[in-house]
Amino acid sequence: DNAKFYMDLLRKDATQWSNPIVRASFAEAHYDIAVHYLNKGDKSAAILHYRKALSANPELRDAHYNLAVLLAEGGQTESAIVHYREALRITPDYFKAHNNLGKIYAESGDAEAAITHYRQALLHVPESVDTLNNLGNALVALGQATEAVTHFEKAISINEADARSHYNHGAALGSLGRYDDAIIAYQRCVALNPDHMLAHNNLGTALARMKRYQEAEKHLRKAIALDPDYQPAKRNLRLLKSLREQSP
């Protein structure tokens, strides 16, 4: 209703657009309409009204952020980056924008840019388990697993019941050749989430490296049972069979 009122006003007298009060009210009305459509699940309409709100007032941080989220979900990552950056221009310490921008860069393969934004996010919310995991994974992608381990361990200290943290911890430890420690991390992961297929596969591989073949087979078969089409687990099971045949 507010948007209709201001649209009618502008139709009658276009000079009202220069009135900052009119522009601000028009922007807020479109922002509220966008939220309404988003809550109803109509993302296209929400995007349209977020854009209209920003055209009236480019300083609406939350409109930039919410629009960026929707654009990223729709695969429009370049446009999403623009609006996340605008949100950060308005509020440089905006945690959620830094974290989400980091995710976009990580998914596009730019681990260095991702790390920059994850570090910025953690400056403002140092206890974020999600961001600690994101930073750790980006560091692993750059071959910096030793530092990554410290971030995963901090995430675990904050929430020991987070299976993702234990899984990522195990992966980082395994990349460093610390297979005994990786086994413990993966065991904790599957204890928390028995259906974590990747953890079962990696646990089986780590156990095989330590010549714990019977345990390794159990977890590789569990991974295959969880996803019969997961080829790495099938290959690892064949390799395990070969190792057992060669073992004295």
Side-chain angles (χ1 to χ4, degrees):
D1 290 341
N2 285 341
K4 184 177 184 301
F5 171 78
Y6 286 105
M7 288 171 70
D8 288 342
L9 177 63
L10 290 171
R11 286 193 192 99
K12 295 173 184 175
D13 183 1
T15 63
Q16 289 291 330
W17 190 248
S18 62
N19 185 327
I21 296 174
V22 171
R23 288 175 69 95
S25 300
F26 190 79
E28 290 172 10
H30 274 295
Y31 179 87
D32 290 343
I33 293 169
V35 172
H36 169 75
Y37 278 119
L38 187 58
N39 290 337
K40 289 180 63 177
D42 190 339
K43 294 181 180 180
S44 295
I47 288 172
L48 173 66
H49 286 282
Y50 280 133
R51 290 193 187 280
K52 287 186 176 182
L54 289 169
S55 122
N57 182 5
E59 301 303 307
L60 286 178
R61 183 201 71 175
D62 289 349
H64 282 295
Y65 175 81
N66 293 345
L67 178 57
V69 170
L70 292 174
L71 291 170
E73 288 176 356
Q76 300 180 54
T77 53
E78 292 302 318
S79 295
I81 288 171
V82 169
H83 288 285
Y84 279 133
R85 288 193 173 281
E86 279 296 290
L88 289 170
R89 175 186 62 77
I90 297 163
T91 307
D93 60 352
Y94 193 10
F95 162 77
K96 292 192 296 183
H98 277 299
N99 190 51
N100 287 6
L101 198 48
K103 288 179 181 178
I104 287 180
Y105 283 124
E107 290 168 2
S108 69
D110 191 345
E112 290 185 358
I115 287 169
T116 296
H117 285 285
Y118 291 143
R119 291 196 195 280
Q120 284 294 315
L122 288 168
L123 285 176
H124 308 296
V125 186
E127 303 291 299
S128 170
V129 170
D130 180 54
T131 309
L132 287 165
N133 274 280
N134 293 340
L135 175 57
N137 287 335
L139 288 165
V140 169
L142 283 184
Q144 300 175 32
T146 300
E147 183 187 347
V149 166
T150 66
H151 295 295
F152 295 135
E153 289 175 349
K154 181 175 180 180
I156 291 166
S157 73
I158 295 167
N159 182 5
E160 292 184 8
D162 184 59
R164 176 192 177 194
S165 298
H166 291 290
Y167 173 78
N168 290 335
H169 190 211
L173 291 166
S175 73
L176 293 169
R178 295 171 54 184
Y179 300 116
D180 282 329
D181 292 330
I183 286 168
I184 294 170
Y186 286 133
Q187 286 173 332
R188 288 172 177 164
C189 175
V190 297
L192 290 164
N193 181 2
D195 293 335
H196 199 305
M197 181 268 296
L198 293 175
H200 280 292
N201 177 67
N202 290 7
L203 176 54
T205 302
L207 287 163
R209 287 181 178 275
M210 303 308 295
K211 299 184 179 181
R212 294 164 61 176
Y213 298 136
Q214 188 171 350
E215 295 172 84
E217 181 177 352
K218 170 189 168 184
H219 287 285
L220 291 173
R221 289 194 180 281
K222 177 65 173 178
I224 294 168
L226 289 167
D227 184 356
D229 295 324
Y230 187 61
Q231 296 304 315
K234 292 182 177 180
R235 287 196 297 271
N236 289 335
L237 190 59
R238 290 194 295 270
L239 287 171
L240 177 63
K241 180 180 179 182
S242 176
L243 287 172
R244 296 182 83 166
E245 289 172 351
Q246 296 170 19
S247 180

